[in-house]
Amino acid sequence: ACEVMGTDPDAENGLELQRGGLLAGVERSGLLHEESFGVAGGQSSSMRSRVLDRTHSHNLVPDATRSLLQSREDHQEFVAWQEGGGEDQEQAESNGEAVSASGAKKYDQATIFGIDKRPFFPTVLIVSLLWSMSMTWLQSWVISDLFGGSFRCNTFFLVVYILTIGAALNTSLSNPGLMSEEQFRKWQDGQTSIPMRAHKHWLYRRPVQRFHQYCRWVTNCVGLRNHRSYMIMLLGFVTTAVADTIVDLILVPVHFVSGTWTAEFLCLLHLCYSIYFAWYSAPLLRQHTAFVMRNELTQEWKRDDYYVVVGPTGERVGVTDLDAEDYNRLFDEFEYDPSRNPFDKGWVDNCISFWTRSRDDPDEWGEF
């Protein structure tokens, strides 16, 4: 459901139909005509930041559809799950609600047996990667036993795992691209405006330049300074998961006849882990690769800055101009319009700029 500001009774009726998390309810209700859609001009920013109620999940493992990412709704749910509820706080701030001055206490995090669960996610991520990397010795032993040598295989996995874990640690521990103290004071004093694409997130006192998103798996924002390491991390996830799956699919049946039950069980367990990890991370890499190719940030995608719907006569209407009911009804029909994105220079230039442009210059504000 979307958060509606104002007193439009039709919009409020549409809101109530969505409270149960059933998008199709509006279509079945007969309140909307299939041939047309309404436009609500002058919608507030909170109106444009609609997020389905059912995406506010605090489960440790996402539902299956959240990893399949078969529709725009799946993508929205997956992003909301990754962010772990932090955006709820930002919505409260945008509505003028009172919030704590301390960033760490702004969001009432769910706990596990009374323990804050936020450190749980990066811990599980790193531990699982280290365990998977340690399984390389077993794969090496089995490969050597079956084929007589495993040096190249060991070298490949060792290099990829080191790069992946290093990228994950850098994404988690590095400065995501905070505004400098001098720039921040000038912004507070009204002497300058906030840089384009910068965003004030609940995790930090200062805005993050070229803010992409918050990721609960690294408990950090992804912005100007660590966006590239985030992409390397995702690429490493998919590479290790797919490669391990292929190797284990070969080793498990071949080793079944001559191997020990312990080694066979560990190989089978690692195969299941690798399959799940590939299933989980591959759609995520695909999504963020598309963002890089369009030079679009997750924050802009969530706000529907560059998206339109095609009307019955072929006119292109901005998604942010839709009323609440039609926004939900047409949710999976939004189309990216490159003419609305001033940062999109074509996928080749976008990729070159992303990977080669310097981001360490103090004068770089991430306005690209």
Side-chain angles (χ1 to χ4, degrees), residues 129 132 139 156-157 159-162 164 233-246 270 273-274 277-278 281:
L129 286 174
S132 184
Q139 293 173 324
F156 168 78
F157 278 111
V159 170
V160 174
Y161 271 111
I162 290 176
T164 302
M233 179 187 73
L234 293 182
L235 180 60
F237 287 169
V238 176
T239 302
T240 55
V242 172
D244 276 327
T245 298
I246 294 174
H270 189 246
Y273 165 83
S274 300
F277 200 22
S281 57

Side-chain angles (χ1 to χ4, degrees), residues 44-115:
S44 66
S45 59
S46 60
M47 177 69 174
R48 294 194 296 268
S49 60
R50 314 168 184 88
V51 179
L52 300 177
D53 278 343
R54 65 180 177 209
T55 67
H56 294 196
S57 169
H58 302 294
N59 296 329
L60 296 182
V61 180
D63 294 337
T65 54
R66 292 189 181 131
S67 286
L68 294 178
L69 304 186
Q70 296 175 339
S71 67
R72 194 174 192 277
E73 180 186 339
D74 292 337
H75 283 265
Q76 288 276 24
E77 290 186 358
F78 196 87
V79 168
W81 185 84
Q82 273 197 107
E83 291 179 333
E87 295 302 301
D88 295 344
Q89 174 62 30
E90 294 185 36
Q91 184 64 45
E93 289 180 340
S94 68
N95 292 338
E97 299 175 10
V99 294
S100 169
S102 172
K105 298 179 181 178
K106 283 182 176 179
Y107 177 66
D108 185 17
Q109 296 285 342
T111 60
I112 302 175
F113 300 112
I115 302 174

Side-chain angles (χ1 to χ4, degrees), residues 27-283:
E27 295 178 312
R28 294 196 299 267
S29 68
L31 293 177
L32 300 175
H33 298 289
E34 292 293 323
E35 296 79 17
S36 62
F37 50 81
V39 175
Q43 299 288 2
S44 66
S45 59
S46 60
M47 177 69 174
R48 294 194 296 268
S49 60
R50 314 168 184 88
V51 179
L52 300 177
D53 278 343
R54 65 180 177 209
T55 67
H56 294 196
S57 169
H58 302 294
N59 296 329
L60 296 182
V61 180
D63 294 337
T65 54
R66 292 189 181 131
S67 286
L68 294 178
L69 304 186
Q70 296 175 339
S71 67
R72 194 174 192 277
E73 180 186 339
D74 292 337
H75 283 265
Q76 288 276 24
E77 290 186 358
F78 196 87
V79 168
W81 185 84
Q82 273 197 107
E83 291 179 333
E87 295 302 301
D88 295 344
Q89 174 62 30
E90 294 185 36
Q91 184 64 45
E93 289 180 340
S94 68
N95 292 338
E97 299 175 10
V99 294
S100 169
S102 172
K105 298 179 181 178
K106 283 182 176 179
Y107 177 66
D108 185 17
Q109 296 285 342
T111 60
I112 302 175
F113 300 112
I115 302 174
D116 188 349
K117 76 176 185 180
R118 283 175 294 181
F120 172 83
F121 291 94
T123 301
V124 168
L125 175 64
I126 297 300
V127 169
S128 66
L129 286 174
L130 291 175
W131 172 78
S132 184
M133 183 173 67
S134 68
M135 288 295 295
T136 303
W137 73 267
L138 178 60
Q139 293 173 324
S140 172
W141 176 70
V142 174
I143 292 174
S144 297
D145 184 49
L146 295 175
F147 305 107
S150 61
F151 175 77
R152 293 180 179 178
C153 182
N154 290 345
T155 302
F156 168 78
F157 278 111
L158 183 62
V159 170
V160 174
Y161 271 111
I162 290 176
L163 289 175
T164 302
I165 295 175
L169 292 174
N170 181 77
T171 306
S172 177
L173 302 177
S174 66
N175 176 355
L178 300 177
M179 289 176 62
S180 65
E181 284 289 351
E182 180 182 1
Q183 185 184 9
F184 179 58
R185 286 195 298 270
K186 289 182 178 180
W187 174 57
Q188 285 185 313
D189 296 338
Q191 300 177 19
T192 183
S193 59
I194 190 171
M196 291 187 297
R197 314 193 93 175
H199 180 71
K200 177 64 178 71
H201 192 265
W202 58 268
L203 188 63
Y204 292 103
R205 182 175 62 90
R206 290 175 282 163
V208 179
Q209 296 169 319
R210 205 174 188 275
F211 178 84
H212 186 54
Q213 69 174 68
Y214 172 82
C215 179
R216 74 196 305 177
W217 287 107
V218 295
T219 60
N220 197 9
C221 295
V222 178
L224 176 67
R225 301 288 174 82
N226 63 353
H227 195 171
R228 284 194 288 231
S229 64
Y230 177 74
M231 291 300 298
I232 294 174
M233 179 187 73
L234 293 182
L235 180 60
F237 287 169
V238 176
T239 302
T240 55
V242 172
D244 276 327
T245 298
I246 294 174
V247 171
D248 289 341
L249 280 174
I250 297 173
L251 296 183
V252 168
V254 173
H255 191 246
F256 180 77
V257 177
S258 58
T260 64
W261 283 105
T262 301
E264 188 69 20
F265 172 76
L266 289 175
C267 283
L268 186 61
L269 182 64
H270 189 246
L271 172 62
C272 295
Y273 165 83
S274 300
I275 291 175
Y276 175 79
F277 200 22
W279 171 79
Y280 179 94
S281 57

Side-chain angles (χ1 to χ4, degrees), residues 2-16 31-32 38-41 43 47 50 321-326:
C2 50
E3 187 167 342
V4 179
M5 304 295 293
T7 58
D8 185 352
D10 292 333
E12 293 177 357
N13 289 337
L15 173 64
E16 292 301 319
L31 293 177
L32 300 175
V39 175
Q43 299 288 2
M47 177 69 174
R50 314 168 184 88
D321 294 326
L322 295 177
D323 62 31
E325 294 176 350
D326 286 328

